[in-house]
Amino acid sequence: MTALDLSSPVAVVGTGTMGQGIAQVALVAGHVVRLYDAVPGRADAAAEAIGARLDRLVEKDRLAGTERDAARARLRPAQSLAELADCVLVIEAVLEQLDAKQQLFRDLEDTVDENCLLATNTSSLSVTAIGGALRNPGRLVGLHFFNPAPLLPLVEVVSGFSTDVTSATRAYETARAWGKTPVACADTPGFIVNRIARPYYAEAFAVYEAQAADPATIDAVLRESGGFRMGAFELTDLIGQDVNESVTHSVWQAFFQDVRFTPSLAQRRLVESGRHGRKTGQGWFDYGDEAERPEPHTAESARPPAYVTAEGDLGPASELLTLIREAGIQVREDEEDHGTRLVLPGGGQLALADGQTSVEFRDVVYFDLALDYRKATRIALSASQDTASRTLSEAIGLFQALGKDVSIIGDAPGMIVARTVARIVDLAHDAVAKGVATEEDIDTAMRLGVNYPLGPFEWSRRLGKNWAYALLDDLHLRDPSGRYAPSLALYRHAYASEKREGTS
């Protein structure tokens, strides 16, 4: 099944930001595009707005003037659904209300040809439920574009329970012909991105709610250690706290209030107060003209230790041993190899976050996961009230000697980056096991849809097949609510890897 012929007209119903963006994508690809909105005058206004954006593309040398003129000529506002009768594809981008979408598609069934492909851009509703109101639900597919649609490459192609394979394939190939990167997924709450991305926000909010760190510090650690483009707090301020919380609540409800997707009470209070982020001038951060952005916690300068003793290879943090040597600090090897940690001169230990707490041990400082320890500019350390001041000082000095800013957070098991990545990896494995999408499509979706530095399976391969399971298992012992219970899919993955390696 091939993509739709570019000579065939397509339609977009709903002329808000998403509708206009999708229309522009189809228009630039070469289609005649008909715009329709139930509110009189909106289609004409949207056509003018799209034309203005095309003008700006010409000014920036991203579109030739002749191509702009041809695209403008193909853009045709419609005054009624009847004007969409000859379209081969109709994409709706109306309000996220199930009854409104169902009624629209029922009306479209009475208008367009039986071979016309119908698509919904819903981000939170069930494609199956929308199609359930149709005489022929097999031709309805989800085409979930990301905002802004002309710029972001990802399109989730969602097959509802009744979607025909031919419909899904045609939609997939059409999205690719339009210059997008499509990924195929089953109709599940949140699809790929909005399902698997939940821990990125949830764990940041949980660390904050536990008073382990402030928003500015958590964001800095996610960016400068985890390699994420934006921290969770600044990102949700950009998205809109009301929008982000609504998606979280929708996914939580759709999964029958699964504890893994529980919304944040702190975010709820933010939304209730009207602090929705950049669009209201205040969210987690203040965006007023005179406001000063809070700085992350950064430890004062400390003397580095003269040497460290390595017990094991530090696992995913093994690169640190090379960096420590390059900084002129002696690394002594413990031949008995008691584990994967560093012993500091004062006798205290430094270990990679593993889901345990510092207070459980006599004198341990945990350090957080980094995407790349050489390139990371900040490292978070976690200690308890019982940690010796000398141990914490030596740990701070060690990482500062490696050229890192150091943030001290509370005794949060799994810290910030480590627990976030582990939960993302877990949800990804669970999604594959349940037939939501392939590993490759999930990695693609998370890189392109939310700009993650690595896809979940890329993280998993880099960190080791047992890493996420072991960390979450330890977290679950300390928080038995079920929030951190590793999925059966992750358990099978970790166990199978052990058997292949010949361990018991």
Side-chain angles (χ1 to χ4, degrees), residues 207 221 225 314-317 320 340-342 349-358 361 364-370 373 379-383 399 409-422 463 466-472 474-475 478:
V207 172
V221 172
S225 182
L314 297 187
L320 281 176
T340 54
R341 58 199 172 195
L342 295 175
Q349 298 179 0
L350 187 59
L352 175 62
D354 59 6
Q356 301 182 83
T357 57
S358 182
F361 304 97
V364 170
V365 172
Y366 279 106
F367 63 93
D368 208 349
L369 180 68
Y373 282 99
I379 293 293
L381 301 181
S382 173
F399 281 103
I409 71 169
D411 191 13
M415 302 191 67
I416 299 171
V417 180
R419 71 199 276 181
T420 299
V421 170
L463 296 170
N466 192 52
W467 179 84
Y469 176 80
L471 187 145
L472 291 176
D474 276 335
L475 262 171
R478 287 150 186 82

Side-chain angles (χ1 to χ4, degrees), residues 237 275 281-294:
D237 269 355
R275 295 170 56 175
Q282 193 168 26
W284 294 110
F285 302 112
D286 188 346
Y287 298 93
D289 293 337
E290 304 299 322
E292 293 186 9
R293 188 69 174 266

